[in-house]
Every structure is written in structure tokens, then in C-alpha cells.
Amino acid sequence: WTENRGVILREMEEVEKTTEEVIFDRLHLTAFHDSPLGYTILGPVENIQSITQEHLREYVKENYLAERIVVAAAGPVDHAELVRNSEELFSHFRSGDGKRKEEKPAFYGAELLYRSQEEGSLAHFAVGYEGVPWTHPDSLTFMVIQSIIGNYKKNEGLVPAKLSSNRLTNSVANLGPGAESFSAFNTCYKDTGLFGFYGESDEATLDGYLDELLFAVSNLAFSVTEEEVERGKRQLKTTLFGSLDSTTAIAEDIGRQLLVYGRRIPLAELLLRLDAINIEEVKRVARERLFDKDVAVTALGPLSRMPPLVELRRRTAARRL
């Protein structure tokens, strides 16, 4: 265990060196600071240093329950043999008593900023809105919205960003060279979710960059084209189905869906649900869940041009003539 403790501590050091990982970790702390969902994934250093084998045994006993385990397989598998081996290896796991109840994590509009004035460094930021759980009827529409917002990285792509059919990418490229990159994200959990965007820019561009990104999200409540919705759905299909290119990926997908939905959703059903999403559906979800809503904000770097939280909150309801 002492050797594993050292491995975890080294892994924590590596994570802290990755700015994007740090930003998302702190964004959860900001948005869900009254819930375990806000805890850092690897835990604080003092916990790693003080944890004992007894702590680990108790954790396994309380959390590794029969109803939380899925055995999934894909490829040339003998089903009877899989069942027999599963029974031999996993039958000793006990079932839960059903008494454990978890409250839905509260989402907070708040900010957590780490200011520095290192010369030539970029500002890194993330803005999060309260999303929806995996099983919510709007979860698939959120995935489409994520695809519509899309992502951008300066000087990358076959088509120049200023000629992009993505309105946001086009607007960001016209801000100038200070807008480095952005990407939309959508993370679902059992009883809540987190939707938003992560970006990087120089200090001078930061205010205008945030304005464009916030407007792109709020504007979906009133203005989205059929071309944008269809493009978002095509990209989402490519992402969802393109990842199922090996038996390992398929087995992981089966296990994940059984834990989340209690079943594996057939591809035909998923395609029908995706194809049913239209302009009005995207507008409805954006209007109900993203327009004029609280946001959680985390940023790191040269932030002298960073608008205060109250101003960012106001911009979630901004309209342009």
C-alpha cells in the first residue's frame, strides 16, 4: 500500500500540472461546493497520506455492492461460460440494504478565480450551467447543443475559421489572434449535470471572448437554424457511433449503459430519438435551462479584464439587435 500511495501522489502532481484538468476540478468545487460532487477526484494530499488499509476495506465493503456491478462482454464469447465465471468470481459481493439515500447536489452560481500576472501567459476559464442527469428526457438535446456550440483552436482545421459555417467559430476568429481556443462540454451524472464551455485567450481579448461565448449559448433560445441543428446531430452521431470500433469499446459501452439506464439502448432507438430533435426542441431546452440562468465560473491566469460574476450572469440573458 505504501508503494501505491506514492503512485497516487505522483499522479496528483501530474494532474495539477494540466491546466484544463485543474480548471474542471475547481469548476465542480465552485458549482457543487455543498456536495461530494464538488470534491476533487483524487482527494486532498492529507487524505492520501493518512489513509489506511482498514479505510480501504471499509470503503469496499460499503460501496462495492452486487447491484452496482455489471459484467459485460463483447466479441466471440460463450455466454454460459461467462455466466459461470461471473457467479464464481462475484457471488460473494453482498447486496445493499436500500437505506442509502443521496440528495440531489445543489448547483450554485459562484466564481473561483486564481489570478497571476505571468508575462505572456494565457487566461484559462470555464463557465458552467446546471445540466441534466443521464436519464433526463433533455439529455440528448443537451448533447446536440454541445455539438452546435462545437470547438475551436486557432490555426487548426482545413477551412479557415473566418469562413466556418459555425457562427460562434466565425465570431471568435474575428476577435483577433488573442482568442486561442474553446470547447463546449456536457457532463451528465446520476441526478444532475454540468454544461458549459472551456476557453483560453490572452488578457486583452478575455472580456470580448466571454461575451461571444455567453451570447452563443443564450442566443440558442431564440435563434438557431435547421442547418446548425442537423450539423450538430451529424457530429453527435459520428462521436457516439465512431467510438464503438472495437470489442473493448463495445463492452465498456454496454457496462456503462446498464449502470446508467438499466439496459442497453438499441442503436435504432437512439437514432430515432436523435432524429426527432428539431429547431423548436433546441430552443425550448436552451430557453428553459440556459437562458438567464446562474453560472459557475472558474478562471486562472492574467484576469484583469475578467468581468465580475454579476456581469457574466447578466450576459446570460443578453440579446442583440
Side-chain angles (χ1 to χ4, degrees), residues 27-159:
L27 183 64
H28 280 75
L29 171 62
T30 308
F32 303 110
H33 56 250
D34 277 350
S35 161
L37 192 56
Y39 295 168
T40 180
I41 294 175
L42 293 174
V45 172
E46 54 268 26
N47 283 9
I48 303 301
Q49 292 175 335
S50 62
I51 199 168
T52 66
Q53 288 186 351
E54 186 55 37
H55 289 142
L56 293 175
R57 290 194 188 98
E58 187 63 26
Y59 181 85
V60 170
K61 179 182 176 182
E62 292 297 320
N63 293 280
Y64 283 62
L65 305 175
E67 62 268 26
R68 293 183 172 187
I69 297 174
V70 169
V71 179
V77 177
D78 184 312
H79 183 260
E81 184 180 358
L82 178 67
V83 171
R84 184 171 62 254
N85 289 336
S86 299
E87 289 175 343
E88 290 176 1
L89 295 170
F90 298 105
S91 60
H92 66 281
F93 283 92
R94 69 181 182 87
S95 298
D97 55 17
K99 294 180 180 179
R100 179 171 177 168
K101 293 184 179 180
E102 299 173 350
E103 293 184 0
K104 177 182 179 295
F107 177 90
Y108 293 93
E111 65 179 355
L112 187 59
L113 308 180
Y114 300 86
R115 301 180 186 274
S116 70
Q117 293 301 325
E118 187 177 337
E119 189 174 347
S121 64
L122 294 173
H124 302 256
F125 58 86
V127 176
Y129 302 73
E130 183 175 16
V132 297
W134 278 112
T135 54
H136 195 282
D138 292 339
S139 63
L140 207 55
T141 307
F142 260 103
M143 295 181 195
V144 173
I145 291 175
Q146 178 192 3
S147 293
I148 292 173
I149 298 296
N151 57 74
Y152 160 82
K153 193 167 182 62
K154 187 173 66 176
N155 299 328
E156 285 193 3
L158 296 175
V159 178

Side-chain angles (χ1 to χ4, degrees), residues 10 22 71 85 98 109-110 163 178 200 207 209 216 280:
R10 286 193 295 275
V22 172
V71 179
N85 289 336
L163 302 178
E200 302 173 355
D207 189 358
Y209 197 13
E280 293 309 313

